[in-house]
């Protein structure tokens, strides 16, 4: 069985330390911010980034194009590795489609190598959790073909539930109307959203106040996570660590979670969801 390398992109919001420990290669999406073009990141400068968003700065983002994917993939192919690429959801980005284009080009150039590209249908640390599981399965000896099939099945059980603190960021991205954003802000209504089976962002319900919205996320884990191994859950936040820790304490108490990894929402996703974004990721019967 040939060795294979797992490659993902920065839509996973995994920090460098975890990528290194899992032996995962990551390709960065792009953020255009304050007159600069920079790579997506959850590490260097992320708190400053959220402070600037709070001060009114606006960021725009770009997907990974086929050329950049091809460069990242070919480096591993030249080293004799087969490839498993786990890409940011096609429901929110063209990053997956670009990876497929690059893989098709390289398949002709490297006919003896295997390249599998999986649409994660996930975002942020939901994608990160899927990649984390993939790395564990690889370490357990699962083959490239087996792991690609496992991912394409289990991605529909990776639940993404989140809330935001400022509806105006979702309004800017066209996720809620201007009227909804204005009225919701005045009444302190917080949306509870999820990512559906097609990788799209869907507004599911509303909560009155921040605490209620956080508790609603935990309630979804209790409801949907029964019967699944959720000894590890992931939480991401848009520079609101106290809220993330509160959410972690609830799921540890109510879901028997042993480990909760808490990380930042990266600059690309944070550009559209804003400061105060809070999300919970776990395995469940359905999304």
């Amino acid at each position: 069985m040939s060795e294979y390398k797992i490659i993902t992109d920065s839509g996973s919001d995994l920090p460098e330390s975890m990528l290194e420990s899992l032996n995962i290669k990551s390709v960065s999406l792009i953020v255009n911010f304050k007159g600069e073009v920079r790579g997506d990141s959850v590490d260097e400068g992320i708190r400053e980034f959220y402070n600037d968003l709070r001060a009114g700065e606006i960021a725009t983002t770009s997907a990974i194009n086929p050329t950049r994917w091809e460069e990242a993939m070919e480096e591993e192919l030249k080293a004799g590795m087969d490839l498993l690429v786990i890409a940011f959801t096609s429901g929110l980005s063209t990053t997956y489609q670009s990876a497929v284009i690059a893989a098709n080009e390289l398949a002709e150039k490297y006919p003896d190598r295997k390249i599998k590209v999986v649409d994660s249908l996930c975002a942020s640390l939901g994608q990160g959790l899927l990649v984390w599981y993939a790395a564990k399965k690889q370490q357990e000896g699962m083959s490239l073909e087996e792991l690609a099939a496992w991912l394409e099945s289990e991605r529909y059980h990776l639940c993404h539930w989140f809330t935001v603190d400022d509806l105006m960021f979702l309004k800017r991205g066209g996720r809620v109307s201007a009227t909804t954003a204005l009225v919701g802000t005045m009444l302190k209504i917080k949306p509870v959203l999820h990512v559906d089976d097609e990788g799209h962002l869907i507004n599911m319900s509303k909560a009155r106040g921040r605490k209620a919205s956080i508790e609603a996320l935990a309630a979804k884990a209790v409801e949907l996570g029964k019967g699944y191994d959720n000894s590890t859950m992931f939480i991401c936040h848009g520079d609101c660590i106290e809220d993330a820790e509160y959410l972690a304490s609830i799921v540890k108490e109510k879901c028997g979670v042993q480990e909760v990894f808490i990380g930042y929402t990266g600059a690309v996703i944070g550009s559209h969801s804003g400061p105060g974004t809070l999300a919970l990721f776990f395995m469940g019967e359905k999304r």
Side-chain angles (χ1 to χ4, degrees):
M1 183 173 66
S2 298
E3 284 191 89
Y4 63 97
K5 181 75 173 180
I6 298 176
I7 304 178
T8 192
D9 55 69
S10 65
S12 70
D13 284 347
L14 291 171
E16 280 295 326
S17 58
M18 186 176 288
L19 290 167
E20 290 176 6
S21 68
L22 297 174
N23 192 29
I24 303 293
K25 182 173 187 172
S26 183
V27 185
S28 179
L29 284 84
I30 297 299
V31 182
N32 302 283
F33 191 59
K34 297 174 70 174
E36 297 180 0
V37 177
R38 60 176 79 173
D40 187 18
S41 176
V42 293
D43 292 298
E44 185 177 353
I46 190 66
R47 292 199 69 184
E48 180 184 353
F49 173 77
Y50 278 108
N51 285 335
D52 286 338
L53 289 183
R54 290 187 181 99
E57 296 285 352
I58 296 175
T60 59
T61 61
S62 303
I64 300 167
N65 62 34
T67 299
R68 291 183 57 235
W69 269 125
E70 192 168 334
E71 290 171 352
M73 292 181 196
E74 188 164 24
E75 183 179 22
E76 304 301 329
L77 294 169
K78 284 180 178 178
M81 304 291 284
D82 292 335
L83 299 180
L84 175 60
V85 180
I86 306 171
F88 188 33
T89 173
S90 61
L92 296 174
S93 172
T94 59
T95 292
Y96 163 73
Q97 288 88 344
S98 293
V100 171
I101 292 169
N104 289 339
E105 290 288 328
L106 290 168
E108 296 182 10
K109 192 172 179 180
Y110 297 88
D112 295 331
R113 299 264 62 86
K114 297 174 184 175
I115 309 173
K116 294 282 189 181
V117 182
V118 175
D119 183 353
S120 71
L121 299 175
C122 296
S124 190
L125 280 178
Q127 180 183 341
L129 183 54
L130 194 67
V131 171
W132 182 84
Y133 275 115
K136 300 298 181 185
K137 296 294 182 183
Q138 183 187 36
Q139 291 167 7
E140 292 168 6
M142 191 174 279
S143 71
L144 172 59
E145 292 83 357
E146 289 170 336
L147 183 48
W150 185 90
L151 289 167
E152 288 175 346
S153 170
E154 294 304 308
R155 62 188 175 180
Y156 296 109
H157 296 282
L158 209 156
C159 304
H160 302 53
W161 286 86
F162 73 102
T163 188
V164 298
D165 197 40
D166 188 343
L167 283 163
M168 293 304 173
F169 284 88
L170 291 181
K171 178 191 78 69
R172 191 179 300 147
R175 299 297 175 184
V176 300
S177 70
T179 301
T180 297
L182 181 60
V183 173
T185 299
M186 291 174 61
L187 297 179
K188 297 184 178 180
I189 292 172
K190 307 298 181 184
V192 177
L193 308 97
H194 86 141
V195 175
D196 69 8
D197 283 350
E198 296 178 342
H200 297 126
L201 196 62
I202 306 295
N203 192 352
M204 296 297 290
S205 62
K206 299 171 185 175
R208 182 63 66 87
R210 179 69 165 178
K211 184 178 180 182
S213 70
I214 296 171
E215 292 172 349
L217 303 184
K220 283 297 177 183
V222 173
E223 174 192 347
L224 299 173
K226 293 176 183 176
Y228 283 80
D229 178 7
N230 278 306
S231 53
T232 299
M233 290 188 184
F234 281 14
I235 292 173
C236 72
H237 66 96
D239 200 32
C240 52
I241 185 63
E242 294 85 0
D243 289 341
E245 290 172 345
Y246 175 55
L247 176 57
S249 70
I250 300 174
V251 296
K252 284 181 178 179
E253 177 187 350
K254 294 190 174 182
C255 302
V257 182
Q258 297 173 15
E259 181 182 5
V260 178
F261 172 74
I262 298 175
Y264 269 94
T265 307
V268 162
I269 295 171
S271 298
H272 302 285
S273 59
T277 299
L278 184 65
L280 176 64
F281 308 98
F282 58 93
M283 301 300 290
E285 65 171 308
K286 63 179 182 178
R287 285 193 167 193

